[in-house]
Amino acid sequence: MPLAARISKEMLKPHLLVSGNSSLSGELKVNGAKNSALVLLAASLLTDEEIILSNVPKLTDISGMTAILSKMGVEIKHKTKDIFLKANDLRHVELPYELVHGLRASFFCIGALLGRIGKAKIPLPGGCKIGARPVVEHIRGLKALGAIINVNHGIVTASVPGFEGQLKGANVVLDCPSVGATETILMAAVLANGESTIENAAQEPEVQDLAKMLNKMGAKIKGAGGPKIHIEGVKKLHGCEYTVMPDRIEAGTFLIAAAITRSVLKVTPVISDHLNAVLQKLRDCGCRLEKDGEGIKITPGEIHGVDITTQPFPGFPTDLQAPFMALMTTAKGTSVITEKIYENRMQHISELQRMGASIRLQGNTAVIEGVSELSAAPVEGRDLRSSAAMVLASLKANGTSQVVGLDHLDRGYELIEEKLNKCGAHIIRKQH
Ligand code: UD1
């Protein structure tokens, strides 16, 4: 499409007008973790008693998940950042594809439903712009626990045979350390009869957060956060109050915002053990990081190119690859960024190039030659994290950029423009 036509089409979409050459100061507050909250919401299906979740971010992904749970019969009340959930009248419903499509975590409910009521019917979540995103590992694990699973016309129908309808403990070895598969199998195994193990389990902090809450509900899980998780099945789980951990990806995005604008900022709260790979790369590229209360103070120096390769935790998270690439576009020298988790997570490159970045893509490896200046342009975030990357690059660019793709951005960042504006950015949200 010619640039003029594209610009006028984009003008009609909700967008952010981001002033460049920004200098930020002060403190950026980090919300509760989206990916953790989503799965903790699903875990509420495992008990008929009340679950109170605190520090839940206000995001479209979260409201999508609560809509799905309420369709299943979960009573839900909201009070500021607390969500009260009571699943004492679960209905066996078939979820419409439109509701689960684009909200992958909704599929993870299948494990909790099988554990609690012995049946579930959920459409396959489908791929997304960043990759195919299969759920074979989830299904393989549930089958190992005794579930009968059929996939027809894109709908997964699962049930547990036998009068009692109870899953049986089993040893599951994952082919790849999938976060969602680990969480799905964990939620199924806690109410299974006997002991289970998950080997080659995902070690992400979100898995640890889930295990912590499940243990608070009376589950017996050991080893979450390591490669082998051991679960002793229990008959029943009870209600609990639980505070969602801070969002390591939002924290990382804010630290990169400081680095790209060469601004001294405090980002808080941050659990640094959740972000060690990212903190190391920020230090390597020229930032000073100091612990400051519950947060981190970042003081960027001259930024140099560094190489990164995305990996499962504790490696560099794929969810911060796009924001870090935005930073590298204005670093001194060359950086090489390799995406190893998703096959199609480089869509921000063409947009960064339109802002003057010098990037060559070879397969899933990007070679970035830092430029002295980015220039503002109309740009589009094509997935959640690439939208964040567009905002960061726009803060640095010369001029005012127009960023579209806010439906993606709002899935994972709560009022990002308000937070950044409080620290000195100039970002205006336009609905059309
Ligand atoms: C979660 C996060 C997402 C993050 C990702 C990797 C949520 C809601 N989302 O997604 O933000 O980017 O972890 O850190 O928590 N795979 C298979 N077979 C499977 C399952 C996965 O091959 O059955 C592959 C995927 O294609 C992908 C890799 O494993 O290449 C990682 O996927 P996975 O860990 O499952 O990601 P999610 O849990 O969906």
Side-chain angles (χ1 to χ4, degrees):
M1 190 186 296
L3 185 59
R6 177 176 167 174
I7 292 171
S8 61
K9 194 166 166 233
E10 286 177 355
M11 290 295 278
L12 299 172
K13 294 185 187 169
H15 58 271
L16 297 178
L17 290 176
V18 183
S19 302
N21 288 324
S22 291
S23 184
L24 309 177
S25 61
E27 188 172 302
L28 277 167
K29 283 255 185 309
V30 176
N31 280 332
K34 169 183 82 82
N35 287 348
S36 212
L38 285 171
V39 76
L40 299 178
L41 287 169
S44 72
L45 292 165
L46 285 162
T47 177
D48 57 2
E49 296 180 17
E50 188 170 63
I51 297 286
I52 305 174
L53 276 184
S54 313
N55 197 30
V56 183
K58 284 195 164 58
L59 300 167
T60 52
D61 265 12
I62 298 291
S63 44
M65 190 66 164
T66 53
I68 286 168
L69 293 175
S70 105
K71 219 168 171 51
M72 291 177 184
V74 183
E75 247 176 64
I76 299 175
K77 282 183 246 149
H78 296 260
K79 194 174 147 200
T80 59
K81 294 235 156 181
D82 295 345
I83 300 189
F84 302 70
L85 304 114
K86 202 163 185 196
N88 61 350
D89 186 21
L90 278 185
R91 288 189 289 271
H92 178 47
V93 288
E94 192 176 316
L95 296 172
Y97 177 66
E98 308 75 68
L99 211 55
V100 306
H101 174 62
L103 183 47
R104 184 170 171 80
S106 62
F107 186 77
F108 308 168
C109 292
I110 194 170
L113 286 173
L114 277 178
R116 173 86 186 284
I117 57 171
K119 50 191 176 181
K121 205 167 182 181
I122 303 194
L124 286 168
C128 67
K129 287 186 173 160
I130 59 175
R133 308 192 77 178
V135 285
V136 283
E137 290 301 303
H138 312 54
I139 291 177
R140 223 164 52 81
L142 296 173
K143 281 184 175 168
L145 292 168
I148 295 174
I149 301 192
N150 288 302
V151 186
N152 272 315
H153 306 294
I155 295 174
V156 182
T157 308
S159 60
V160 184
F163 179 67
E164 298 255 302
Q166 196 184 9
L167 293 166
K168 289 188 184 61
N171 298 330
V172 178
V173 185
L174 295 177
D175 273 353
C176 64
S178 155
V179 177
T182 305
E183 293 168 340
T184 302
I185 298 163
L186 192 53
M187 286 190 278
V190 284
L191 288 178
N193 186 7
E195 298 191 6
S196 300
T197 52
I198 308 173
E199 287 186 62
N200 196 22
Q203 301 176 40
E204 267 70 1
E206 291 75 15
V207 174
Q208 297 178 42
D209 216 28
L210 172 64
K212 266 196 206 163
M213 181 170 113
L214 293 173
N215 281 342
K216 228 178 158 192
M217 292 166 74
K220 292 187 174 167
I221 303 166
K222 284 188 189 145
K228 184 170 181 177
I229 304 178
H230 183 269
I231 307 123
E232 197 183 318
V234 296
K235 286 233 152 1
K236 202 171 163 19
L237 294 179
H238 51 76
C240 77
E241 290 186 36
Y242 194 79
T243 304
V244 181
M245 69 177 196
D247 195 314
R248 64 192 170 107
I249 305 301
E250 188 188 31
T253 306
F254 289 163
L255 289 167
I256 297 168
I260 198 168
T261 56
R262 316 298 193 257
S263 305
V264 178
L265 269 178
K266 179 179 174 182
V267 178
T268 188
V270 182
I271 300 176
S272 42
D273 276 351
H274 292 180
L275 263 182
N276 278 335
V278 178
L279 301 180
Q280 187 58 50
K281 289 297 172 185
L282 284 169
R283 275 190 213 100
D284 292 351
C285 77
C287 300
R288 199 171 75 231
L289 302 173
E290 296 156 273
K291 191 165 167 44
D292 184 350
E294 292 207 306
I296 290 181
K297 181 180 165 199
I298 175 166
T299 310
E302 186 177 43
I303 302 292
H304 291 268
V306 291
D307 298 344
I308 67 166
T309 300
T310 62
Q311 279 165 349
F313 190 83
F316 193 98
T318 173
D319 287 351
L320 286 173
Q321 180 259 107
F324 207 89
M325 192 182 300
L327 171 62
M328 289 296 98
T329 60
T330 63
K332 195 162 181 221
T334 309
S335 48
V336 179
I337 296 185
T338 306
E339 172 58 50
K340 288 265 194 186
I341 307 293
Y342 294 114
E343 60 273 26
N344 196 23
R345 205 172 209 181
M346 289 291 193
Q347 298 181 58
H348 39 285
I349 291 181
S350 55
E351 299 303 285
L352 291 170
Q353 282 168 334
R354 295 179 58 245
M355 299 176 91
S358 168
I359 307 174
R360 267 179 299 125
L361 182 61
Q362 293 159 344
N364 252 352
T365 296
V367 180
I368 302 133
E369 303 291 344
V371 292
S372 57
E373 187 170 282
L374 293 176
S375 64
V379 286
E380 178 174 8
R382 303 209 174 116
D383 63 67
L384 168 53
R385 306 303 171 184
S386 75
S387 303
M390 291 308 119
V391 174
L392 301 190
S394 302
L395 286 171
K396 176 70 175 164
N398 214 341
T400 299
S401 298
Q402 184 194 12
V403 179
V404 295
L406 305 192
D407 45 342
H408 298 302
L409 192 68
D410 295 340
R411 286 184 43 217
Y413 295 92
E414 182 184 331
L415 299 176
I416 191 168
E417 71 273 23
E418 280 187 20
K419 288 189 183 188
L420 290 168
N421 284 348
K422 273 193 190 145
C423 290
H426 293 282
I427 306 177
I428 303 167
R429 183 178 283 249
K430 297 269 188 189
Q431 284 315 325
H432 49 77

